Amino acid sequence: MKTKESFKSRLLGLQGNLLSFAYQLTSNREEAQDLLQDTTLKALDNEGKYTNNTNFKGWVFTIMRNIFINNYRQQVRQATVVDKTEDLYHLNVCQDSGLDTPEGSVAVQEISAAIAEFSEDFRVPFNMYVSGYKYSEIAEKLNLPLGTVKSRIFFARKRLREQLSAYAQ
């Protein structure tokens, strides 16, 4: 009886921390409260599986993280579109990339111009990375240390973000 009350009181004591963690995961207050409720119920249902002398807080937080991951995966599965039409109409419909619009072409030109302003030390690794090369491949081709390649790409991205900050508004 004493351990059962201790379990519940420890769980209630973590509610504030759990709500903060849930909010970090979901970025939505209502979803965070739902996740907290689901976690609390799951912890209470699995009280018998908890063994003493283990990290209680870690155990409960792992339950919350797993519930969040499972819910996310379920949402992704539900959002997947399966084309059951006879001629696969939905798969063959052209997807609009936005590049054909005047605004889209101007944006691409401005991004390209901003990248062209980079010195070659930053432009070449950044363009290779955008083209799909891995950091290690870029380092090997340019005969540079891996850390140098990563930092140059990081700073190129940062500079590009600063130059194009008007688009974020």
Side-chain angles (χ1 to χ4, degrees), residues 3-169:
T3 58
K4 191 170 209 143
E5 288 179 25
S6 173
F7 182 89
K8 288 179 182 178
S9 64
R10 289 169 71 185
L11 185 59
L12 288 174
L14 287 176
Q15 295 296 299
N17 294 348
L18 287 169
L19 184 59
S20 296
F21 183 57
Y23 187 71
Q24 286 177 352
L25 292 173
T26 62
S27 300
N28 180 309
R29 195 142 203 64
E30 289 180 13
E31 288 179 23
Q33 290 173 341
D34 289 343
L35 182 58
L36 174 64
Q37 184 178 16
D38 292 343
T39 302
T40 304
L41 289 173
K42 184 105 172 178
L44 289 171
D45 288 343
N46 292 297
E47 180 180 353
K49 294 180 181 177
Y50 174 74
T51 57
N52 289 331
N53 301 328
T54 56
N55 183 357
F56 181 76
K57 186 175 181 179
W59 183 74
V60 177
F61 274 72
T62 300
I63 291 173
M64 178 174 279
R65 190 190 75 232
N66 289 343
I67 290 172
F68 174 76
I69 290 170
N70 290 339
N71 290 345
Y72 175 78
R73 288 179 179 160
Q74 185 179 22
Q75 288 173 352
V76 168
R77 276 195 306 273
Q78 289 173 349
T80 302
V81 176
V82 178
D83 188 0
K84 294 183 180 179
T85 59
E86 190 172 313
D87 61 353
L88 300 177
Y89 171 78
H90 296 291
L91 291 177
N92 294 323
V93 172
C94 177
Q95 301 296 318
D96 182 22
S97 66
L99 297 178
D100 297 332
T101 64
E103 297 86 11
S105 61
V106 169
V108 170
Q109 289 172 354
E110 287 187 33
I111 292 170
S112 298
I115 293 170
E117 291 177 11
F118 293 172
S119 68
E120 188 175 336
D121 288 343
F122 291 95
R123 184 179 62 247
V124 172
F126 182 76
N127 282 335
M128 289 177 75
Y129 181 74
V130 170
S131 297
Y133 287 93
K134 294 184 171 120
Y135 290 123
S136 57
E137 295 171 333
I138 298 168
E140 187 178 312
K141 287 193 185 276
L142 298 179
N143 201 19
L144 292 170
L146 183 63
T148 302
V149 169
K150 287 182 177 182
S151 66
R152 287 182 181 176
I153 292 170
F154 170 80
F155 287 116
R157 256 192 249 152
K158 184 177 178 183
R159 183 173 169 197
L160 189 62
R161 199 176 299 126
E162 289 168 358
Q163 288 178 335
L164 303 173
S165 64
Y167 284 104
Q169 297 173 356

